[in-house]
Amino acid sequence: MEANIKLLQRMTEWAGFGAKTEQLIFAQFNELLTKVPLLYFVLLVSSLALTYTYYGVAPDYLTVYVAAFLSVACILRAFKWYRFRFQQFTQQQALHQIRMTVVFSIIMGIGFSIWGFALYDYGDISLRVHVAYYMSVTVIGIIVCLLHLPAAVWSTTLTVGAPFVVFFVNTGELIFVAIAVNFLLVAAVLVLITLSYYRAFSNVIAAKEELQTQHQHTQQLNIQNELLANLDGLTELANRRSFSKHLSKKLRDNIDRQSFVVALIDLDGFKPVNDIHGHAAGDRVLKEVSQRLIKVLKGKGFLARIGGDEFALVMDHDNNHEAIQGLGNNITKEIQKPFEMRTGLVQISGSCGFAIYPEGGESVDELMDSADFALYEAKTAARGSSIIFSGEHKRLIKQKSKLELALNQSIKNSELSLNYQPIVDGKTGKTIALEALARWSNPQLGMVPPDEFIMIAEKSGMVTEITLYLFEKAVRDLKNWPEHLFLSFNLSVHDVMNKQTLQRLSAILQEQSVSAQRVQLEITETIMMSDLEHCSSTTKMLQQKGFMIALDDFGSGYSSLSYLHKLAFDNLKIDRGFVKNLLEDPRSQGVVKTIVELCSSFNVSCTVEGVETAEQRDLLLTLGCQQMQGYYFCRPAKIEDLTL
């Protein structure tokens, strides 16, 4: 049964009666718009010619009235199809006209055939041949004009062609029998050609439809790719590429040079969220931050996520510093609200840097650099604050550029040197180690504070070269110290992240024949938290090479017991901020005592920085502190000025 159904479907499709798509229906209809008027023109001309030859031979009702009726019908149908060219059709309307064409082809075919047969009896042999010629041409004309409509071809062939053959074969006249047979063969060939042409026509339409579908699919993919290329997948905000395009367009379109602001927003304390609570929690925080920023902006401005925890904003705004500062405060307050995680509440902060067009720059790079500089100043001054780029910042940039140029030549010109500050035993006052401190003296700039040139070195990428240069100087000094003293040397975040730099430190010790056990590498808590896993593995590797590791400035960053046990270190240096008010603040005393006990439980040593008075020293001793460092014992000095 199923095989028969499939066979019937194939035969139906072969004969041109299969299901039609929308594209095929309109393709057929468009072809009929030109072919149907031609069909009726052929019928009209042929009918008028036959009327002319039979006029006066056959009765008037056949040669005048019936002929006139059929002629008017042809003219009306042709005119109607001509008017269709100027109308819009739906799929259903087009399909209806196609079906009506099939119906009219049958009606008109039968009508003209009956008229021809009626005229046949009134003529002599020559007139009868004209009837045969007229009817055969009519059928062939219909077939040719309706190539794109197999249903009309089949119906015309069966309703007109079949009676034609039967009629003229039954006349018994040899010439008419020959005409009938000839017509039958020609009609059969034309029908096959028609069906073959229609299948090719259908295939072309199907191919066009497939190409159109593929084109639409490609366009959709292009649109999706364009969206993905300009969209941040996590927060669904614009990404860096989209932000740059938007800012470039805004600058191009801003013919009147209207003021607007560019802001960079960076999250403070986001890295520990990933390390402590996991990356899934970090992603949730970023999504929530994006929603909070959207809430603050209230549909104004163009917001994007341009980095891991960095967002950017372009917003129309007048040059009102107070209003812009208010926007920055609203942003930072919203970010500071706690985030609810499955592991508990998480709290971070956010810093903002603003650049105002055109004062802060007139190009994308200038505006971004200005906003970035303001952001850096905000993070340096007080995390969770916002700063607007100003003329003073321009001056600082020029000054730092000048410093950077000079710093590039500092090693070549032997301008970098080392001072040392002792680390002492608080009970005996005996020096147990010396911390190396970088100094830079330039002929034009004078003494440049370490905080200034180290920051520039880190941002410019020169810090690694400076580290290796100063470390080699420190190791050469270390060779001349008493054996009980060790060197404490600070590493930057670039040094800790660079495996080649760390390998070079070991190589320098080998070249100078100095044991790594006499060197303590100081790494700040902030650096450790920038990449907890990497720093932990790095410090373990350094310990395996023999280095001691000190966790510097403990308490100045994101101190947390939840991560402290993950770090590999031998010494914990308590930040001077706890010592400053130690005598007056019982809480500082409690914190210091707790840290000392913590170090004892971890079996690591503890050093207190910033000791400036005998009273501070004595109180620290009672709290359990033994290793100390500060101006009370000794200020940083050149090695030759120290008594070892």
Side-chain angles (χ1 to χ4, degrees):
M1 182 67 179
E2 186 176 349
N4 292 335
I5 293 174
K6 289 183 178 180
L7 178 62
L8 180 61
Q9 288 177 344
R10 283 198 295 270
M11 290 178 65
T12 302
E13 291 174 0
W14 178 83
F17 291 98
K20 296 180 177 66
T21 63
E22 179 181 356
Q23 285 77 5
L24 182 56
I25 289 171
F26 279 111
Q28 283 183 306
F29 182 71
N30 290 332
E31 291 293 335
L32 291 177
L33 287 175
T34 57
K35 301 298 189 300
V36 171
L38 290 176
L39 167 64
Y40 286 118
F41 177 76
V42 170
L43 286 175
L44 179 62
V45 172
S46 298
S47 299
L48 291 176
L50 186 62
T51 299
Y52 176 76
T53 58
Y54 268 91
Y55 184 73
V57 176
D60 287 346
Y61 77 90
L62 288 175
T63 58
V64 177
Y65 302 116
V66 174
F69 175 78
L70 293 174
S71 297
V72 170
C74 287
I75 293 171
L76 291 176
R77 289 295 297 172
F79 182 70
K80 183 174 183 179
W81 272 92
Y82 177 79
R83 290 180 58 190
F84 284 168
R85 297 183 181 186
F86 309 103
Q87 300 178 26
Q88 295 292 329
F89 284 80
T90 65
Q91 179 184 345
Q92 290 299 323
Q93 290 172 334
L95 183 60
H96 174 73
Q97 292 302 327
I98 290 172
R99 289 170 177 170
M100 291 304 296
T101 300
V102 176
V103 172
F104 272 97
S105 68
I106 296 172
I107 294 173
M108 299 292 280
I110 293 174
F112 279 100
S113 296
I114 293 174
W115 180 61
F117 290 145
L119 290 173
Y120 179 85
D121 290 334
Y122 294 99
D124 56 16
I125 186 66
S126 61
L127 291 177
R128 290 180 176 182
V129 169
H130 191 182
V131 171
Y133 171 79
Y134 163 75
M135 294 185 68
S136 61
V137 168
T138 300
V139 174
I140 292 172
I142 292 174
I143 291 174
V144 171
C145 290
L146 299 180
L147 279 172
H148 304 88
L149 196 57
V153 172
W154 279 109
S155 59
T156 301
T157 303
L158 293 175
T159 57
V160 179
F164 172 86
V165 172
V166 172
F167 179 84
F168 283 101
V169 167
N170 287 332
T171 60
E173 296 287 342
L174 185 60
I175 187 173
F176 290 121
V177 172
I179 290 173
V181 173
N182 185 34
F183 169 79
L184 179 63
L185 295 174
V186 171
V189 171
L190 283 176
V191 168
L192 291 176
I193 292 174
T194 300
L195 295 177
S196 177
Y197 177 84
Y198 176 73
R199 285 195 295 276
F201 174 74
S202 301
N203 290 337
V204 169
I205 299 303
K208 286 183 178 180
E209 184 177 356
E210 185 176 356
L211 284 174
Q212 186 177 2
T213 301
Q214 290 178 352
H215 179 65
Q216 291 174 346
H217 181 63
T218 302
Q219 284 185 319
Q220 290 176 350
L221 287 177
N222 288 338
I223 292 171
Q224 291 175 357
N225 289 336
E226 184 68 18
L227 287 173
L228 290 174
N230 292 282
L231 199 68
D232 175 56
L234 178 64
T235 62
E236 297 185 355
L237 296 176
N239 60 14
R240 178 181 288 274
R241 177 173 178 265
S242 179
F243 182 80
S244 296
K245 286 169 60 178
H246 178 83
L247 183 52
S248 297
K249 184 176 184 302
K250 188 166 187 65
L251 288 168
R252 287 196 307 270
D253 296 344
N254 192 11
I255 301 173
D256 298 332
R257 296 174 64 83
Q258 294 293 320
S259 178
F260 64 87
V261 296
V262 174
L264 291 181
I265 305 159
D266 189 70
L267 304 184
D268 305 313
F270 175 74
K271 189 65 174 65
V273 175
N274 276 334
D275 293 334
I276 297 170
H277 300 275
H279 289 282
D283 289 346
R284 287 195 294 274
V285 168
L286 290 173
K287 289 180 182 179
E288 179 64 24
V289 167
S290 67
Q291 292 303 312
R292 292 185 183 185
L293 292 176
I294 291 171
K295 178 183 175 183
V296 170
L297 297 177
K298 298 177 181 178
K300 299 177 182 178
F302 186 87
L303 180 65
R305 179 188 174 214
I306 61 172
D309 61 348
E310 192 171 14
F311 297 82
L313 167 68
V314 176
M315 188 174 183
D316 289 328
H317 215 294
D318 56 21
N319 195 355
N320 186 330
H321 283 219
E322 185 177 344
I324 295 172
Q325 195 67 54
L327 172 64
N329 292 339
N330 290 337
I331 289 173
T332 54
K333 285 179 181 177
E334 195 66 32
I335 294 175
Q336 286 173 353
K337 293 178 181 178
F339 296 84
E340 292 186 11
M341 298 287 114
R342 296 190 185 96
T343 53
L345 291 178
V346 170
Q347 189 162 17
I348 60 173
S349 60
S351 301
C352 296
F354 290 95
I356 305 173
Y357 173 85
E359 294 85 353
E362 299 194 25
S363 69
V364 172
D365 290 341
E366 288 177 354
L367 286 167
M368 293 295 285
D369 287 345
S370 297
D372 187 58
F373 188 87
L375 175 64
Y376 183 83
E377 291 294 304
K379 293 173 77 72
T380 302
R383 291 174 181 251
S385 63
S386 58
I387 286 181
I388 302 171
F389 187 82
S390 65
E392 174 62 17
H393 294 133
K394 284 185 180 180
R395 188 191 66 78
L396 289 175
I397 289 177
K398 289 181 180 179
Q399 180 182 347
K400 288 183 178 181
S401 297
K402 187 176 180 180
L403 287 173
E404 185 176 335
L405 289 173
L407 190 59
N408 268 314
Q409 303 298 317
S410 61
I411 294 178
K412 179 182 176 181
N413 298 333
S414 301
E415 297 173 4
L416 293 173
S417 61
L418 288 170
N419 279 4
Y420 294 93
Q421 185 175 32
I423 299 172
V424 303
D425 183 324
K427 287 183 179 179
T428 64
K430 183 180 178 181
T431 300
I432 58 177
L434 294 174
E435 180 180 354
L437 302 171
R439 295 293 183 265
W440 178 28
S441 177
N442 180 270
Q444 285 76 40
L445 302 173
M447 289 297 299
V448 182
D451 290 347
E452 287 188 23
F453 74 81
I454 290 175
M455 178 189 68
I456 294 172
E458 288 182 341
K459 294 199 74 174
S460 64
M462 290 185 289
V463 68
T464 297
E465 185 181 1
I466 292 173
T467 294
L468 295 175
Y469 174 77
L470 293 178
F471 184 73
E472 186 168 358
K473 287 177 70 71
V475 172
R476 290 180 186 276
D477 289 339
L478 175 61
K479 291 175 65 175
N480 300 317
W481 299 351
E483 284 294 325
H484 70 278
L485 294 180
F486 64 86
L487 167 70
S488 193
F489 192 87
N490 292 274
L491 295 182
S492 74
V493 62
H494 297 276
D495 301 327
V496 176
M497 296 298 175
N498 192 327
K499 185 179 292 186
Q500 293 179 340
T501 301
L502 300 177
Q503 291 173 347
R504 182 60 190 148
L505 295 178
S506 296
I508 290 172
L509 289 176
Q510 292 176 1
E511 292 167 4
Q512 300 297 324
S513 301
V514 175
S515 172
Q517 294 177 346
R518 293 191 66 192
V519 178
Q520 174 178 272
L521 298 176
E522 294 192 17
I523 305 174
T524 65
E525 176 193 5
T526 305
I527 292 175
M528 286 285 199
M529 290 310 300
S530 65
D531 193 332
L532 185 61
E533 293 181 5
H534 178 81
C535 287
S536 180
S537 63
T538 297
T539 51
K540 287 177 182 177
M541 180 269 291
L542 290 171
Q543 284 177 324
Q544 290 171 359
K545 290 180 179 292
F547 290 101
M548 294 180 289
I549 303 298
L551 182 58
D552 194 17
D553 296 338
F554 183 76
S556 63
Y558 311 106
S559 307
S560 172
L561 296 180
S562 61
Y563 77 79
L564 197 57
H565 73 281
K566 298 179 182 179
L567 300 175
F569 62 97
D570 304 283
N571 183 277
L572 191 150
K573 300 188 74 174
I574 301 176
D575 185 69
R576 65 184 69 249
F578 291 108
V579 180
K580 186 176 181 181
N581 299 315
L582 185 68
L583 299 175
E584 300 84 11
D585 189 358
R587 288 179 296 181
S588 294
Q589 299 172 21
V591 169
V592 171
K593 183 176 177 59
T594 300
I595 294 174
V596 172
E597 292 173 350
L598 181 67
C599 289
S600 178
S601 65
F602 280 177
N603 196 28
V604 297
S605 60
C606 178
T607 302
V608 183
E609 299 177 303
V611 180
E612 297 184 356
T613 66
E615 291 80 8
Q616 290 175 340
R617 178 204 61 182
D618 294 340
L619 180 54
L620 287 169
L621 286 173
T622 61
L623 295 175
C625 301
Q626 188 164 346
Q627 293 184 17
M628 303 180 192
Q629 186 178 7
Y631 288 174
Y632 172 71
F633 301 101
C634 185
R635 288 178 176 271
K638 295 185 180 298
I639 190 64
E640 55 266 25
D641 296 333
L642 295 174
T643 302
L644 302 180

